[in-house]
Amino acid sequence: MQNYIERQWALCLDDFSKTISSAGMDLWINTLQPINVENDKIVFVAPSDVCRQQIYNNYLSRMKEVLKEHFKLENALVLIPEEQEAYIEAYNKSHASETGAVLDTKPTTLQNPFNPRYTFDNFVVGTTNQVIYAAARAVAESPAVRFNPLFIYGGSGLGKTHLLHAIGNYIWQHKMSNLNIVYVTCEQFTNDFVEALRVRQERGMEAFYKQYRQADVLLIDDIQFISSKKGVQEEFFNTFNELYQKGKQIIISSDRPPKDIPTLEERLRSRFASGFMQDIQPPDFETRLLIIQKKIEIERYEFEKGIDYELAERLSNFNIREMEAILRKIYFLANLNGKAVATFADMNEVLEKECQQCYVSDEKLTHEKIINAVCKYFTIDQKELTGRKRNKEIVEPRQICIYLMWHQLAIPLATIGEIFGRDHTTIIHARDKIMEQIKTNKQIKKVISDITSLLKTSND
């Protein structure tokens, strides 16, 4: 049962990520632990009462739609922490005799509000994010000493929320007893302010001020969603000013720089720009490869050798979250087919369904067209390319052609061997050599890119 729940929950998480913000996923959805399915309900352990309330108030209706599809359920039940021990104890009494397995009677709860998976150690540093990583690390080690405010911006799924959680985790672990850390999304800040206004006759504003204006470190995610209403921006401006004047650290993330946030007042733009602003660019090939390898290591996936390089090459237009989803689906498909190790066949099946842009074109692309494109690019004869000559002017184009066939057509290596009249070992050597060179040789990368563009043009 538990394996079934975990498999279906993984599918649900993929669907949730399409409609729920990255902050909502990281802070609330991903922290839920599904433990049982009973009476047309799926039972979750929530890490905190705050999490339970957030799920019920903001996400339950969207969750029910997905849960209904993957679990064939109509309802979802999220247990608050006080109920968990009693529920699990009753569950164990009724099921232990049947299965011999019991649930943990003291499930782990999150006192630290930050996602434990999002740390500096798990953040892959490359040329496109090394500056902001260094700045975030400096802020975590010495809050309010340098880079205040710290403004991180970049496209969705590139690691902004990861860095905010990494800062929070570091401060929590090293300075927890001394600092009051507050992490919220912009949406949550707005909702808290509106709720405080609604109950202000009951001293609601006092509680709001205590929560936000007494923070030693304030982390605000997705500031681009700040309301255009004057009252919300007025309150955020006053909160920002009070914390800044007290020498408190402020960290803000956005999917765009302050000047491009249409709802943002000019005085807030100038405040944000007064500190340190840095963007995160999409990862290059080397960084994508490191990210994929890190994810495989963390999740303990088993992949056929070479898949990581292939994915790093094909997923050039994907953000980090999308790459992680592709890895999850490949491994899930392999397990579904009873395989302990995910193969290139599994990878190609997922890529064909999930990301047609990973391929040059449709079924019209053939090995003959690839051979013609390589011959045209290098100005060599087709008979020489597929013949027995071993001089460098022919061997390198031949290896590139072999790699492109394997990469673009996803045909068996044995079939490629038949085309070139080579054995399986020779074809593997040619493919692996080009894969290795792509990592370090910019000229080879340019040649591959140029020929790929030529193939796209010829297939249009």
Side-chain angles (χ1 to χ4, degrees):
M1 171 64 79
Q2 196 61 30
N3 288 337
Y4 167 77
I5 293 174
E6 291 175 359
R7 288 198 304 270
Q8 300 309 108
W9 180 238
L11 295 176
C12 291
L13 290 175
D14 284 334
D15 285 350
F16 292 150
S17 65
K18 297 173 184 177
T19 59
I20 296 175
S21 69
S22 59
M25 289 294 297
D26 295 332
L27 195 57
W28 312 120
I29 306 297
N30 287 333
T31 63
L32 293 176
Q33 178 189 359
I35 61 171
N36 193 24
V37 175
E38 63 173 20
N39 301 326
D40 203 32
K41 296 178 181 179
I42 180 168
V43 182
F44 293 93
V45 171
S48 67
D49 189 45
V50 173
C51 177
R52 182 190 67 82
Q53 290 294 344
Q54 287 292 326
I55 295 296
Y56 274 124
N57 294 341
N58 301 310
Y59 302 106
L60 197 57
S61 60
R62 280 175 284 181
M63 287 180 64
K64 282 184 176 181
E65 296 175 5
V66 176
L67 291 167
K68 180 179 179 180
E69 176 183 353
H70 292 294
F71 284 94
K72 310 303 179 187
L73 301 172
E74 295 291 343
N75 299 297
L77 171 66
V78 180
L79 295 173
I80 63 173
E82 288 78 8
E83 295 174 329
Q84 288 175 184
E85 288 194 34
Y87 174 85
I88 293 175
E89 183 178 352
Y91 175 88
N92 286 338
K93 286 181 179 179
S94 61
H95 290 76
S97 59
E98 302 172 9
T99 64
V102 297
L103 295 172
D104 185 359
T105 56
K106 294 184 178 180
T108 302
T109 58
L110 293 180
Q111 295 180 354
N112 180 345
F114 299 98
N115 191 324
R117 298 166 67 89
Y118 285 174
T119 65
F120 287 120
D121 290 339
N122 288 341
F123 187 86
V124 176
V125 183
T127 56
T128 59
N129 59 23
Q130 58 187 0
V131 174
I132 191 58
Y133 172 84
R137 189 81 191 225
V139 165
E141 292 173 354
S142 302
V145 174
R146 301 174 62 192
F147 311 131
N148 194 25
L150 175 64
F151 193 98
I152 306 171
Y153 68 95
S156 176
L158 296 182
K160 302 184 300 295
T161 297
H162 188 141
L163 281 178
L164 262 64
H165 280 258
I167 292 171
N169 272 313
Y170 186 94
I171 295 174
W172 184 276
Q173 293 164 10
H174 294 82
K175 308 174 187 294
M176 181 176 63
S177 61
N178 300 322
L179 297 179
N180 177 25
I181 315 167
V182 177
Y183 170 88
V184 291
T185 63
C186 184
E187 179 185 18
Q188 186 178 343
F189 178 89
T190 301
N191 291 341
D192 288 347
F193 176 66
V194 172
E195 179 65 14
L197 287 178
R198 188 181 69 82
V199 298
R200 60 184 168 182
Q201 63 271 28
E202 301 173 10
R203 301 175 62 142
M205 294 309 296
E206 182 178 329
F208 179 86
Y209 293 151
K210 182 178 181 180
Q211 178 182 357
Y212 287 102
R213 298 192 185 186
Q214 293 183 13
D216 293 302
V217 179
L218 176 64
L219 303 102
I220 300 282
D221 214 347
D222 289 330
I223 197 65
Q224 74 272 10
F225 293 125
I226 193 166
S227 171
S228 58
K229 295 181 179 178
K230 184 177 180 180
V232 176
Q233 295 211 25
E234 178 77 23
E235 178 53 41
F236 187 77
F237 178 80
N238 292 334
T239 299
F240 183 101
N241 274 352
E242 182 160 339
L243 292 177
Y244 185 79
Q245 290 168 5
K246 290 179 178 177
K248 307 301 182 181
Q249 178 69 57
I250 304 167
I251 304 115
I252 302 168
S253 83
S254 172
D255 67 356
R256 67 202 77 173
K259 64 183 180 64
D260 294 335
I261 302 176
T263 59
L264 197 62
E265 293 181 0
E266 186 58 39
R267 58 180 179 171
L268 279 174
R269 285 195 179 94
S270 65
R271 291 294 190 279
F272 295 162
S274 66
F276 184 86
M277 288 198 306
Q278 181 63 44
D279 67 335
I280 302 180
Q281 293 292 328
D284 55 16
F285 173 82
E286 290 78 10
T287 308
R288 290 197 302 274
L289 179 60
L290 290 172
I291 290 168
I292 290 168
Q293 290 174 338
K294 187 71 172 181
K295 183 67 175 178
I296 290 173
E297 175 189 346
I298 291 173
E299 299 296 338
R300 298 181 180 178
Y301 293 150
E302 293 289 339
F303 281 82
E304 190 176 345
K305 183 180 180 182
I307 286 183
D308 50 355
Y309 295 101
E310 178 69 6
L311 287 172
E313 179 69 27
R314 292 198 190 185
L315 302 181
S316 58
N317 295 322
F318 286 72
N319 64 41
I320 298 169
R321 193 175 300 110
E322 291 168 337
M323 287 192 290
E324 291 177 343
I326 293 293
L327 285 171
R328 211 162 36 238
K329 290 178 181 179
I330 293 172
Y331 197 62
F332 172 76
L333 177 63
N335 288 340
L336 197 64
N337 293 330
K339 293 185 285 189
V341 178
T343 65
F344 279 95
D346 299 315
M347 177 196 72
N348 288 323
E349 184 174 343
V350 170
L351 293 184
E352 186 175 0
K353 292 179 180 178
E354 300 294 333
C355 49
Q356 289 293 336
Q357 61 268 45
C358 297
Y359 294 88
V360 166
S361 61
D362 56 23
E363 65 278 0
K364 295 179 181 179
L365 183 63
T366 64
H367 73 269
E368 290 92 348
K369 289 185 177 181
I370 293 177
I371 290 174
N372 290 335
V374 172
C375 290
K376 181 178 180 180
Y377 185 86
F378 287 102
T379 319
I380 58 177
D381 186 80
Q382 180 175 329
K383 291 183 178 179
E384 292 182 319
L385 185 71
T386 57
R388 310 307 298 182
K389 285 187 177 181
R390 298 183 57 82
N391 50 308
K392 187 178 187 300
E393 293 75 11
I394 300 298
V395 170
E396 187 170 88
R398 183 183 296 142
Q399 291 173 337
I400 289 173
C401 190
I402 289 170
Y403 168 80
L404 285 169
M405 284 186 187
W406 170 78
H407 183 284
Q408 298 294 344
L409 300 179
I411 59 179
L413 294 174
T415 302
I416 300 175
E418 292 173 2
I419 294 170
F420 284 89
R422 264 76 175 177
D423 60 33
H424 188 259
T425 303
T426 303
I427 298 300
I428 291 176
H429 171 75
R431 179 201 67 182
D432 290 351
K433 183 174 181 180
I434 298 302
M435 285 173 60
E436 286 295 320
Q437 289 183 335
I438 286 174
K439 294 189 292 180
T440 58
N441 190 321
K442 293 183 179 180
Q443 181 60 33
I444 289 292
K445 288 173 66 175
K446 184 179 185 304
V447 169
I448 297 294
S449 177
D450 290 344
I451 297 176
T452 301
S453 298
L454 189 63
L455 287 168
K456 288 181 179 179
T457 302
S458 65
N459 251 29
D460 288 342

